Amino acid sequence: MNPLVNSLMVRAADAPPIKPAVELGTPLLLTIAAAGIALLLVLIIRFKIQAFVALLAVSILVGVAAQIPLKDIFTVVTTGVGSTMGKVALLIALGAILGRMIEVSGGVQSLATHFTQKLGAKRVAVALTAVGFLVAIPVFFEVGVIVLVPIVYAFAKIANVHPIKFGLPMAGIMLSIHVAVPPHPGIVAGAGVFGADIGLITMISLIICIPLGFLSYWVASIMNRKDYELLPGVKKQVEEFGSESLVHVGHDGPGARAIAPPRPGLIMFLIAAPIAQILLGTVGTLTIPKENYWYGVASFIGNPFFALLVAVALSFFLLAVRRNWSLKETGEIFEGALPPIASILMVVAAGGVFGEVLRTSGIGAALSHTLDSLGLPVIVLGFIISLALRAAQGSATVAIVTTTGLLTSAVMEGGYTPAQIAVIVIAIGFGALGLSHVTDAGFWTVIRYYGLTVSDGLKTWTVLTTILGLAGFVLTYVAWILVGGLGH
């Protein structure tokens, strides 16, 4: 090995941990943290600064204010990026590719048609809620809403009702899954910050989301007893729908030229395969002794990276190859899945930087000690902070990443079990579900495509997401009790 490289490696290995040049008191550290978060919200909300840039800038300012040596500031920045992105970047990218393959193939429309035929035309809202549950697992929330819009319009035309009658319960459960179920970026990033088990989070959050699906349908059905104004632009689009062939509208590329959309069973298999693989590995690692050879096999099989990679490979053969897509077309679909997630990845990376700055500066430890004196359970505090941040700046991902960064020391030093850490992450996720309003891009997606006024959107969508967030937290707290969380 080159002597210079060897010398640098030895010096890096022997480097002391980075610490603030001056140890500040708890009140001052918490004041710096509060000021940093307030500045973050002002930059995002008032000045419309992109969340990635705002998070990065605030992280550096907080680090400087907390007396981290200037020569070490950007070392902390790179450490935060590396530790976070190393855990979540591949998951988000592979999840986006799988979702894009299903979307372009017409699989979403196939699922919707299947459930509607099985449940009957009078239960279209039930059918679309079930479709939304399945589609939301691999597909981002906004994408899922947009892809399903043609189906919602078609049924709204047939039934001569407002699109919100069918779209509201479906969108409600889709957002619930988006904030709480991997491989979505917010919950995956939160798990990465805490080092939580993705398999446990998936298992617990999916169980919780099942009753939330019923609740979304029930609450939406009560809201839909009232008539809402339908915006002229959307009204015109709805009037153009009505024939069954339109369930195949809304996707471009190879899927649009296919003879028929993929069978619903195949789409359900592609969605369920990575989940089943992760859960299988999780169960194996929980039941097999660590020294046993099969423990390593179970850990390998259940690794979320590997599970999603297998799912993407299956989608390649079962959707692309079997439907005679050219390699060029398939490659373009893979490529097209990645640019939309670039902004999300950057926000996740900057959130990791913020969390690392809070940890290195001692702010995280100061908050942890303060929380201990208040006597609030960390699961309750995580939900409240995440809900407040969600309401203030809109992004569920930013809310989750910021909250986990603030609570890292409290969780890491709390002696929690893997199951308890997983439940804490889920509670933070459900905090980011409530109070979706004008600061949230998802709010505008829903009211824009379903033809609601802002006022009606606040009365329906904002209320529904808040009810689902609170209900999700209540169910999560039940899980907290079951995993022994009350002992902390």
Side-chain angles (χ1 to χ4, degrees), residues 177-313:
I177 289 176
H178 181 81
V179 301
V181 180
H184 291 294
I187 196 72
V188 170
V193 172
F194 285 168
D197 189 308
I198 293 289
L200 282 174
I201 291 175
T202 303
M203 186 188 307
I204 297 169
S205 59
L206 275 177
I207 293 172
I208 292 173
C209 283
I210 291 173
L212 289 186
F214 289 98
L215 180 63
S216 180
Y217 173 76
W218 180 69
V219 173
S221 66
I222 294 175
M223 292 179 172
N224 284 329
R225 293 172 185 172
K226 178 183 176 182
D227 291 327
Y228 300 101
E229 176 187 351
L230 180 58
L231 297 179
V234 174
K235 184 178 181 179
K236 182 179 179 181
Q237 294 180 61
V238 171
E239 290 172 350
E240 298 173 354
F241 283 78
S243 66
E244 293 184 2
S245 63
L246 286 170
V247 297
H248 302 302
V249 174
H251 59 94
D252 301 315
R257 298 191 291 276
I259 297 174
R263 294 180 179 179
L266 173 60
I267 301 303
M268 286 188 279
F269 168 74
L270 288 174
I271 294 172
I275 298 171
Q277 188 173 332
I278 291 170
L279 296 183
L280 178 64
T282 301
V283 171
T285 54
L286 290 175
T287 56
I288 301 173
K290 286 189 176 182
E291 61 274 7
N292 192 301
Y293 167 80
W294 293 106
Y295 178 91
V297 173
S299 179
F300 177 79
I301 292 175
N303 187 287
F305 297 142
F306 182 60
L308 278 172
L309 184 61
V310 169
V312 169

Side-chain angles (χ1 to χ4, degrees), residues 248-483:
H248 302 302
V249 174
H251 59 94
D252 301 315
R257 298 191 291 276
I259 297 174
R263 294 180 179 179
L266 173 60
I267 301 303
M268 286 188 279
F269 168 74
L270 288 174
I271 294 172
I275 298 171
Q277 188 173 332
I278 291 170
L279 296 183
L280 178 64
T282 301
V283 171
T285 54
L286 290 175
T287 56
I288 301 173
K290 286 189 176 182
E291 61 274 7
N292 192 301
Y293 167 80
W294 293 106
Y295 178 91
V297 173
S299 179
F300 177 79
I301 292 175
N303 187 287
F305 297 142
F306 182 60
L308 278 172
L309 184 61
V310 169
V312 169
L314 287 172
S315 72
F316 175 79
F317 288 104
L318 297 177
L319 294 179
V321 174
R322 290 180 62 179
R323 301 174 72 76
N324 297 316
W325 296 356
S326 70
L327 293 176
K328 181 176 181 295
E329 289 170 328
T330 306
E332 289 174 352
I333 294 172
F334 276 48
E335 289 280 349
L338 299 178
I341 66 170
S343 176
I344 294 172
L345 287 172
M346 291 299 96
V347 169
V348 170
V353 173
F354 189 51
E356 184 67 18
V357 167
L358 293 175
R359 187 195 64 79
T360 304
S361 65
I363 291 174
L367 180 62
S368 175
H369 296 148
T370 303
L371 296 180
D372 288 342
S373 64
L374 292 176
L376 273 178
V378 69
I379 186 173
V380 175
L381 199 77
F383 174 79
I384 293 172
I385 293 174
S386 182
L387 180 64
L389 289 172
R390 160 69 153 168
Q393 53 78 42
S395 169
T397 300
V398 171
I400 294 171
V401 172
T402 304
T403 304
T404 51
L406 284 169
L407 298 179
T408 299
S409 296
V411 173
M412 295 296 98
E413 299 171 7
Y416 296 102
T417 67
Q420 290 166 353
I421 294 176
V423 172
I424 292 170
V425 175
I426 295 169
I428 293 171
F430 281 123
L433 171 57
L435 297 177
S436 170
H437 62 110
V438 293
T439 61
D440 177 21
F443 172 85
W444 295 105
T445 300
V446 169
I447 69 169
R448 173 190 172 191
Y449 282 98
Y450 294 157
L452 289 172
T453 63
V454 173
S455 175
D456 286 339
L458 292 170
K459 294 173 184 175
T460 55
W461 179 244
T462 302
V463 173
L464 176 62
T465 56
T466 304
I467 291 172
L468 291 175
L470 291 170
F473 175 71
V474 169
L475 293 173
T476 304
Y477 198 81
V478 172
W480 177 250
I481 295 171
L482 294 177
V483 298

